[in-house]
């Protein structure tokens, strides 16, 4: 059986937990599992490391995970909490002496070109810039011998991509999953999905909606991510049904591919 090691680099919402200036019980919690950096996962297989999204916490997350090499980045969408760490891939460019391939939907790559104009505008500079090769995702693709299946969803009215690899899938920042995409999420061992909080949100699935999706798709295990400070780790897990837990920074799963 071939496996992949999935590490949750960050399990928090866009502002992170603790949230600046907030003194609520979760932000003040002493439980390390209540400390959530911005949302990202690391896939390690065949000696390669691939991250899904480069958050504003990417440097810290990569240090914490002892990430000595980076082989590719896949983007879900171009919101700030998912892309702003891109500049911090430069040490890997230097060490590996190569550009790093980046994969995203056409609209994501277009936004990246705008957000990181200094990387793409080819103005001569003596600064060391990130070196990347852009690859448009227009269907399932192979990455170092692994098939990555994009799973389109809606984040408010904006499109977002989740990804399935073998028997697991990562789907963050969604409010609605079209029926065609649900078919791509059947027979999962591990499903990591957005569940922002209890209160409904126009762009994010909440705990109730994510539990409904889990009940419909029946993965063996489900892990909630993109979590805000409304959800304390221990107290929320206590209320969740069997097989569903909050993800946390540093969570590692061995998944079949
Ligand atoms: Zn987000
Ligand atoms: Zn708080
Ligand atoms: Zn977003």
């Amino acid at each position: 059986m071939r496996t992949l090691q999935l590490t949750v680099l960050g399990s928090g919402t866009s502002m992170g937990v603790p949230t600046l200036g907030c003194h609520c019980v979760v932000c003040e919690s002493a439980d390390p599992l209540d400390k959530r950096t911005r949302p990202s996962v690391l896939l390690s297989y065949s000696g390669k490391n691939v991250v899904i999204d480069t958050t504003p916490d990417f440097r810290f997350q990569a240090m914490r995970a002892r990430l000595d090499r980076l082989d590719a980045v896949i983007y879900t969408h171009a919101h700030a909490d998912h892309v702003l760490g891109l500049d911090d891939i430069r040490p890997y460019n230097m060490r590996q002496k190569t550009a790093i391939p980046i994969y995203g939907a056409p609209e994501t790559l277009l936004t990246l070109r705008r957000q990181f104009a200094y990387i793409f505008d080819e103005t001569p500079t003596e600064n060391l810039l990130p070196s990347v090769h852009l690859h448009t995702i227009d269907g399932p693709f192979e990455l170092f011998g692994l098939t990555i299946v994009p799973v389109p969803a809606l984040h408010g009215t904006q499109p977002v991509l989740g990804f399935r690899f073998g028997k697991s899938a990562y789907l963050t920042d969604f409010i609605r999953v079209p029926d065609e995409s649900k078919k791509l999420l059947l027979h999962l061992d591990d499903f990591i999905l957005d569940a922002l909080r209890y209160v409904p949100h126009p762009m994010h699935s909440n705990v109730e909606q994510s539990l409904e999706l889990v009940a419909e798709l029946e993965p063996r295990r489900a892990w909630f991510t993109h979590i805000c400070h409304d959800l304390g780790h221990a107290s929320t897990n206590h209320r969740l049904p069997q097989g569903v837990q909050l993800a946390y920074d540093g969570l590692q799963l061995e998944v079949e591919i």
Side-chain angles (χ1 to χ4, degrees), residues 16-28 228-230:
V17 180
T19 302
L20 293 176
C22 184
H23 300 282
C24 75
V25 59
V26 175
C27 288
E28 297 274 317
C228 88
H229 60 167
D230 290 3

Side-chain angles (χ1 to χ4, degrees), residues 65 73 86 109 136 199 219:
V73 179
L86 175 57
L109 299 184
T136 302
V199 181

Side-chain angles (χ1 to χ4, degrees), residues 49-51 58 67-73 89 92 96 100:
N49 291 317
V50 176
V51 292
F58 173 70
L67 194 67
D68 285 345
R69 62 174 291 125
L70 178 67
D71 298 283
V73 179
I89 68 166
Y92 300 111
Q96 297 162 210
I100 290 177

